[in-house]
Amino acid sequence: MAGRRQFIRYWRRVRALTFALLLLWFAASFVVIFFARELSSVTLWGWPLHFYLAAQGVTLVYLAITGVYALAMLRIDRLGRRESGDEG
């Protein structure tokens, strides 16, 4: 029974992480598209801000999301192994 609780706890952590990162992904994608007209009046190094965010900024956010997911899953996996007593 304890193994089942650990399994459920593990998957709750994984789902919470996935949901949070998907929410960040959606927000990053949606904000650039939805506010493109307002952001076009602001320039950054000679380029309109919406162009910079779409071409570079959002791509960096996606890369950061992937890195955070990988590191967090390593941590969650280690924690799950430690809780189950399977250190090997």
Side-chain angles (χ1 to χ4, degrees), residues 19-70:
F19 179 75
L21 293 177
L22 279 174
L23 191 62
L24 179 62
W25 167 80
F26 176 77
S29 301
F30 180 75
V31 166
V32 172
I33 294 167
F34 190 76
F35 294 108
R37 285 192 183 142
E38 289 83 4
L39 293 172
S40 66
S41 63
V42 180
T43 59
L44 185 64
W45 296 302
W47 294 94
L49 186 59
H50 72 283
F51 175 79
Y52 175 76
L53 288 175
Q56 302 294 327
V58 176
T59 306
L60 294 175
V61 171
Y62 296 157
L63 184 62
I65 288 171
T66 305
V68 167
Y69 181 79

Side-chain angles (χ1 to χ4, degrees), residues 6-16 73 76:
Q6 290 168 350
F7 180 77
I8 291 171
R9 191 177 316 130
Y10 172 83
W11 281 107
R12 280 189 184 150
R13 290 176 182 143
V14 171
R15 281 186 290 170
M73 282 304 299
I76 289 172

